[in-house]
Amino acid sequence: RPPSILPFAATLPSMNAGSITDVPGIRVGHWTDRRAITGCTVVLPARPAVAGVDVRGAAPGTRETDLLRPGNLVQEVHAICLAGGSAYGLEAASGVMRFLAERGVGFPFGRGVVPIVPAAILFDLGIGRHDRWPDIDAGYRAAANAQRRCDEGNVGAGTGATVGKSLGPERAMKGGIGTASERASSGLIAGALAAVNAAGDVIDEAGRIIAGARRDDGTIEDAVEVLREGRVWQPEIAESNTVLVVVATNAVLTKEQANRLATVCHDGIARAVRPAHTPSDGDIVFTLATGEQPIEHRDYRALEAIATLAVQRAIVRGVMAAESLGGYPSVRDLATPARRGRC
């Protein structure tokens, strides 16, 4: 086994990894159904935020992403919604719209407002109840629960998230919601939130595989080697996965810059997930710019660097903060003291 592949992480990363809510004005709300093992998550800016998106997975489930492209009319959004439930879960965004409309938040027209709520979903129908998913009421409740802190692990859209499915569900591990933030000396802040539902391995900053498909002896297979050797379990199912990311920043960005930032931040997914952007997943990065910190060209380059790092760390946090659920063990439960020192 290559030395970079440990049975589990030798040490758990610091709990003080920062949060997307370190960006002023950003709140996060979750709705969680632990019985059905699903949920949804809402990211709410205090004011409309310039937004961008980049979809890299070939099987995405999305709503209102076309309007985020440069050149289209709408420049700002009022919330981002992430949900489990596969395509069914997209209706949770309607609940977020209802919550915002009741408060007069949205794109104005003569007789009222239309809240702009882009959304994306992940596939979690195989872990819990396949006939329950986040609906309009769930989206409304998640928005109502929004606060200036972000819970992690088995909450919201991460409730039914799993990772390491290349050898089948009986070998997989629990994923979840993770968040992290980074700062630059100029005052720029970049925070990321990730719902980690990856097919392959999750890699820490030291290059070690910390979550993935488990062998009989408790060590972790290298997903790339499983693919190389043709041992992948039912590829069309093993790859039905997604990593959903929201990046928020206090920077003043144009719509073009917000979209460019979303593109660059996919590097954070590629660093932390292997393989990523497969033909059967829906990896997506949304960006939100609250517009409080003016930037120059060199500042934007720094923003790309710290935002990508925040995405990478948020993904690692997503599996580290998760707890065992639905028969899927977590890193925390498997990283016993006896195993932590074994290579």
Side-chain angles (χ1 to χ4, degrees):
R1 186 169 70 251
S4 63
I5 303 173
L6 303 183
F8 294 98
T11 57
L12 296 177
S14 170
M15 293 296 291
N16 185 24
S19 170
I20 191 172
T21 58
D22 291 338
V23 178
I26 295 295
R27 295 178 295 149
V28 174
H30 301 294
W31 174 86
T32 303
D33 185 339
R34 289 182 66 89
R35 290 186 177 181
I37 314 185
T38 191
C40 61
T41 297
V42 178
V43 180
L44 284 175
R47 296 186 301 274
V50 174
V53 69
D54 193 330
V55 180
R56 292 292 178 91
T62 61
R63 169 171 167 161
E64 296 277 46
T65 51
D66 282 352
L67 61 81
L68 299 183
R69 295 175 181 171
N72 289 346
L73 174 65
V74 174
Q75 298 295 306
E76 299 171 322
V77 304
H78 306 96
I80 302 290
C81 180
L82 310 179
S86 190
Y88 295 110
L90 287 172
E91 68 178 271
S94 295
V96 183
M97 289 185 66
R98 179 177 296 175
F99 175 86
L100 293 171
E102 289 177 356
R103 288 151 182 81
V105 177
F107 187 85
F109 71 100
R111 301 177 64 183
V113 296
V114 178
I116 306 300
V117 183
I121 50 84
L122 56 80
F123 186 91
D124 60 4
L125 299 179
I127 179 174
R129 291 184 56 173
H130 69 279
D131 59 346
R132 292 286 300 275
W133 50 81
D135 56 13
I136 293 175
D137 182 65
Y140 188 100
R141 290 175 181 269
N145 289 336
Q147 55 188 316
R148 290 282 295 140
R149 61 187 295 269
C150 181
D151 293 333
E152 299 179 274
N154 297 355
V155 295
T159 306
T162 53
V163 300
K165 286 155 276 190
S166 59
L167 294 178
E170 71 279 0
R171 304 285 186 174
M173 295 176 63
K174 189 69 182 66
I177 289 283
T179 189
S181 67
E182 296 288 338
R183 298 172 183 264
S185 61
S186 63
L188 283 173
I189 306 172
L193 178 145
V196 187
N197 191 54
D201 306 325
V202 176
I203 315 296
D204 71 6
E205 293 177 62
R208 301 173 299 189
I209 299 177
I210 58 172
R214 295 169 293 119
R215 299 187 180 100
D216 290 337
D217 64 359
T219 59
I220 301 176
E221 283 275 10
D222 183 332
V224 173
E225 293 307 311
V226 171
L227 290 167
R228 191 197 309 273
E229 297 166 10
R231 293 186 289 123
V232 67
W233 177 85
Q234 296 186 32
E236 71 280 2
I237 298 176
E239 295 179 354
S240 297
N241 307 279
T242 294
V243 177
L244 305 178
V245 174
V246 180
V247 173
T249 177
N250 62 341
V252 176
L253 296 182
T254 65
K255 193 174 181 181
E256 288 76 10
Q257 288 174 319
N259 274 274
R260 175 63 183 171
L261 182 62
T263 296
V264 172
C265 283
H266 271 281
D267 289 352
I269 296 179
R271 291 176 190 171
V273 177
R274 190 172 63 201
H277 309 137
T278 72
S280 300
D281 69 32
D283 292 343
I284 296 173
V285 176
F286 293 101
T287 54
L288 295 171
T290 62
E292 296 180 348
Q293 179 79 17
I295 63 171
E296 299 177 356
H297 178 68
R298 62 181 180 181
D299 297 322
Y300 180 76
R301 295 180 64 185
L303 175 61
E304 288 185 334
I306 64 173
T308 300
L309 180 57
V311 171
Q312 179 183 6
R313 296 180 67 210
I315 292 170
V316 172
R317 288 290 310 152
V319 296
M320 287 299 190
E323 300 173 356
S324 299
L325 183 66
Y328 291 83
S330 68
V331 173
R332 287 188 173 278
D333 288 344
L334 291 174
T336 62
R339 280 175 171 160
R340 288 179 188 171
R342 183 160 59 97
C343 296

